[in-house]
């Protein structure tokens, strides 16, 4: 049996407010307590996301951690698209994996936009999510 190298991160838009006082529920940067070294090839996926407000529009969850994908005739660093829903907590049984573009991680940015890539005005409360990184053999 082979072991899988992975890092699981439980992130909140309220994290790192001392470092980043302008963090918002739609755009937040997290300062990790220590560097995570990522030698070799890694992928990341958004496992779940929890909004404190009711979601009614299509959303795009992005991060500066992953490689760009084609969406809406452009390239963006997309972690996940979320269709219009009234559910505030979403768990993804089939994660979508994206290549990680860094060899070392000390901070990362998560930002949320509408499908037309504008900042959603209806997200006011905190956002929590789980992000997982796995090393490919």
């Amino acid at each position: 049996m082979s072991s899988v190298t992975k890092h699981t991160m439980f992130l909140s838009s309220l994290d790192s407010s001392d470092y980043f006082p302008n963090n918002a529920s739609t755009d937040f940067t997290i300062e990790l307590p220590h560097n995570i070294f990522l030698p070799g090839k890694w992928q990341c996926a958004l496992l779940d996301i929890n909004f404190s407000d009711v979601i009614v529009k299509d959303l795009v969850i992005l991060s500066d951690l992953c490689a760009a994908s084609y969406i809406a005739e452009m390239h963006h660093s997309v972690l996940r698209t979320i269709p219009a829903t009234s559910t505030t907590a979403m768990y993804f049984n089939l994660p979508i994996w994206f290549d990680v573009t860094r060899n070392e991680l000390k901070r990362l940015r998560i930002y949320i936009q509408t499908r037309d890539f504008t900042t959603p005005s209806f997200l006011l409360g905190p956002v929590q999510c789980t992000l997982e990184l796995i090393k490919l053999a």
Side-chain angles (χ1 to χ4, degrees), residues 51-85:
F51 303 97
S52 58
D53 295 326
V54 175
I55 305 306
V56 294
K57 294 186 178 182
D58 291 336
L59 295 178
V60 181
I61 314 299
L62 304 109
S63 176
D64 62 354
L65 179 62
C66 60
S69 301
Y70 178 82
I71 182 171
E73 300 179 354
M74 299 173 74
H75 282 87
H76 293 279
S77 297
V78 176
L79 282 173
R80 191 84 187 196
T81 59
I82 298 175
T85 180

Side-chain angles (χ1 to χ4, degrees), residues 93-119:
N93 293 329
L94 296 172
I96 301 171
W97 296 93
F98 294 96
D99 290 339
V100 171
T101 58
R102 302 194 212 166
N103 295 326
E104 183 178 351
L105 186 60
K106 178 61 176 162
R107 67 175 55 148
L108 65 117
R109 178 180 174 216
I110 304 286
Y111 51 111
I112 302 168
Q113 297 188 333
T114 62
R115 187 69 179 201
D116 61 355
F117 294 96
T118 60
T119 301

